[in-house]
Amino acid sequence: MPYSHAPHLPAPEPSAATADIRLVVTDMDGTLLDDDKRVPDRLWEVLARLRERGVLFSPASGRQYATLAREFAEVADGMVFIAENGTYVVRDGEELSSDPLSPGVVAEVVTAARRLRADGVDLGVVVCGKRSAYVERADEAFLAEVDKYYLRHRVVEDATAVDDDIIKVALFDFGSAEATTAPALAPFVDTHQVVVSGEHWVDVMNRTANKGAALRRLQRELGITPAQTMVFGDYLNDLEMLDAADWSFAMANAHPDVVRRARHLAPSNNDNGVLRTVVRLLDLPVSGL
């Protein structure tokens, strides 16, 4: 079935197959991965065809760099990882850019999270460093969520006292992050990014940090234009990234604000939307998609 397109925007022109696409960037959860967090079966074949075409593929995620590197270990050579919502960008083990938080801000966010939990909100905080993530909550339910996104993490007594460059503070709310935790972090909005990155996650980062800023830096470094860039996303932490590409796609399952921001709509994450769209528009020799 062909990809669908947003009713308020034009469908990609047939000439897209011959467009000079040099960079494909995709969010992971809710976008490339299905709802069970599974990688599409045909991903590796599509990545091989992109590499043959000279197209760089880049995962852009709120996930930790170590987690992304493990997922793509077999094909990681030359791949750029836009990790931690753009606060840490790595290629071949070398840092390309980062945007650390000040220790004072980290302490303030962690203190706010502690107050929320003391007030009865069922949440946990993840202090995200370049080398590891750090958590104070050690129960099985919370750590099971942390494990999904942070391969390297440690339980510590005081997450504000770790020796690492902290690039993001993430809060996991077992209820609705958008309804409960994000509003409680309003005091940080004027000076920092407070981004709802999923149904249960809120991230606090520097105002200068987001996936879009990281992508624009990467484009400048590689000499790639927005017209040569294809981007896929589903949630609010993908908005700025969509703005950095002429070929911007919201998934059919995306947050309504993402659908409004993107130029086009791709099939859902459970329907191989990213791969089907890439194969169709770039006319890749991959059958069965």
Side-chain angles (χ1 to χ4, degrees), residues 164-183:
D164 202 345
D165 290 328
I166 305 306
I167 47 184
K168 184 185 75 178
V169 180
L171 290 81
F172 181 86
D173 187 329
F174 280 89
S176 169
E178 191 169 5
T180 303
T181 301

Side-chain angles (χ1 to χ4, degrees), residues 156-167:
V156 296
E157 184 174 344
D158 183 0
T160 69
V162 297
D163 181 19
D164 202 345
D165 290 328
I166 305 306
I167 47 184

Side-chain angles (χ1 to χ4, degrees), residues 44 47 51 56-59 65 68-69 72-73 75-82 90-93 96:
W44 315 114
L47 292 185
R51 193 177 291 260
L56 179 66
F57 177 87
S58 178
Y65 164 63
L68 294 174
F72 292 92
V75 293
D77 288 350
M79 185 178 289
V80 175
F81 295 95
I82 300 174
V90 180
R91 186 176 196 176
D92 294 331
L96 297 184

Side-chain angles (χ1 to χ4, degrees), residues 46-190:
V46 171
L47 292 185
R49 300 292 84 79
L50 287 174
R51 193 177 291 260
E52 290 170 359
R53 188 74 63 86
V55 178
L56 179 66
F57 177 87
S58 178
S61 175
R63 292 177 177 229
Q64 184 184 53
Y65 164 63
T67 306
L68 294 174
R70 177 186 62 179
E71 192 74 67
F72 292 92
E74 298 301 319
V75 293
D77 288 350
M79 185 178 289
V80 175
F81 295 95
I82 300 174
E84 305 278 17
N85 279 330
T87 60
Y88 194 41
V89 182
V90 180
R91 186 176 196 176
D92 294 331
E94 297 293 327
E95 176 182 318
L96 297 184
S97 65
S98 63
D99 200 342
L101 288 162
S102 72
V105 169
V106 174
E108 290 174 10
V109 176
V110 172
T111 299
R114 290 169 180 165
R115 287 198 204 100
L116 279 172
R117 194 167 182 213
D119 289 340
V121 179
D122 191 5
L123 65 78
V125 63
V126 184
V127 172
C128 308
K130 291 182 180 180
R131 295 193 298 272
S132 178
Y134 308 91
V135 300
E136 297 175 346
R137 181 170 169 173
D139 58 283
E140 184 176 347
F142 175 63
L143 290 181
E145 299 298 331
V146 173
D147 283 340
K148 295 176 185 178
Y149 308 101
Y150 300 94
L151 174 65
R152 295 178 184 167
H153 64 268
R154 291 168 43 199
V155 178
V156 296
E157 184 174 344
D158 183 0
T160 69
V162 297
D163 181 19
D164 202 345
D165 290 328
I166 305 306
I167 47 184
K168 184 185 75 178
V169 180
L171 290 81
F172 181 86
D173 187 329
F174 280 89
S176 169
E178 191 169 5
T180 303
T181 301
L185 296 172
F188 298 97
V189 169
D190 288 342

